[in-house]
Amino acid sequence: MEFWYALIGIVSFIALFPYIRCFFKRLFCVGKIKRMCRNKGYIMHATHPLWFLGGKHAKKCDLYIVTANEVFAIKLFGMPRRLSILILKENGEYLIRSYIVLLSKFAGTHFPVFDRKPKPMPLYDFRYQYKSEWEIKTPRGILLVDPVSMEVRRQPQHGSEVIVGVGDIVNGMEIDSLTRLLEDLGSTSFLNLEEKV
């Protein structure tokens, strides 16, 4: 009987590991963003208390970061499994391609396992709880892929898939990783105390 308990425990851990990884990656994300905002004097405005657990299916953006000249409206899109590719289709759908790694004598080789069924990408509201005093600033609607997958690709209606670079615009959203977002925030102007909202 103990063998079956141990087996169930191992299988449960393997099944839940991607979501445990996602949770700790998001905590890391919170720390990095808060530190950047504190160092640069930016304003963080969360749209709900557990904004860092924002999921891809909720339509409201999760966080605003207000700088001297811009408002970063951020929607979190998690990829719990690192060995996967997020494919954004031009018809407004997305799909996830999963991979496995087979270890050889010298290196690991990635093999696609399957493409999940395409799903409609929600029409994210990047103006949810947007404040009137921000209207003078430049808005940026950002899909923050965190945790990030191996790649993000764009799939045109006709033609082959194209790798999306961080900062590229797809379906009206700027696609960013946490690293790219922090680079953008680091190069943006400080927000003076007199300008704070």
Side-chain angles (χ1 to χ4, degrees):
M1 197 65 165
E2 289 179 5
F3 167 79
W4 291 110
Y5 287 140
L7 182 62
I8 290 168
I10 291 168
V11 170
S12 298
F13 178 78
I14 291 170
L16 292 175
F17 179 77
Y19 302 97
I20 295 169
R21 170 184 174 264
C22 185
F23 177 76
F24 283 103
K25 285 278 190 181
R26 289 286 179 86
L27 290 180
F28 178 77
C29 174
V30 170
K32 287 282 191 180
I33 290 175
K34 282 187 174 180
R35 190 175 305 116
M36 175 63 72
C37 291
R38 186 169 57 247
N39 291 342
K40 298 281 279 184
Y42 299 153
I43 300 297
M44 281 181 60
H45 176 77
T47 62
H48 54 96
L50 297 176
W51 67 267
F52 63 95
L53 296 179
K56 60 178 71 82
H57 304 297
K59 294 182 178 180
K60 298 168 183 173
C61 72
D62 300 303
L63 177 71
Y64 293 104
I65 298 176
V66 184
T67 72
N69 302 309
E70 297 177 308
V71 178
F72 292 73
I74 298 168
K75 177 61 197 167
L76 287 159
F77 192 104
M79 295 291 290
R81 291 176 175 81
R82 174 76 174 131
L83 296 178
S84 58
I85 289 179
L86 172 62
I87 299 171
L88 304 171
K89 304 177 76 172
E90 283 191 353
N91 66 357
E93 295 180 330
Y94 74 94
L95 65 89
I96 296 171
R97 179 173 296 148
S98 297
Y99 281 74
I100 60 169
V101 175
L102 296 180
L103 298 176
S104 66
K105 188 173 182 179
F106 302 103
T109 305
H110 296 80
F111 290 97
V113 179
F114 63 90
D115 285 355
R116 295 189 189 170
K117 183 179 177 182
K119 295 182 179 178
M121 178 72 81
L123 292 173
Y124 296 125
D125 183 1
F126 289 103
R127 292 187 61 84
Y128 175 68
Q129 293 188 4
Y130 204 87
K131 297 190 176 185
S132 58
E133 54 265 36
W134 299 344
E135 297 293 349
I136 60 171
K137 300 177 186 284
T138 303
R140 291 176 63 177
I142 294 174
L143 187 70
L144 179 58
V145 183
D146 186 80
V148 72
S149 57
M150 290 194 309
E151 285 179 357
V152 178
R153 295 182 183 174
R154 179 171 50 84
Q155 187 181 72
Q157 291 186 358
H158 305 289
S160 56
E161 295 171 3
V162 179
I163 294 175
V164 173
V166 287
D168 285 355
I169 305 293
V170 179
N171 297 336
M173 299 176 292
E174 184 177 335
I175 311 301
D176 270 354
S177 64
L178 177 60
T179 303
R180 169 57 191 251
L181 176 65
L182 294 173
E183 287 173 359
D184 272 359
L185 290 171
S187 63
T188 304
S189 301
F190 281 81
L191 183 62
N192 269 321
L193 290 173
E194 294 80 19
E195 296 173 320
K196 286 192 178 182
V197 290

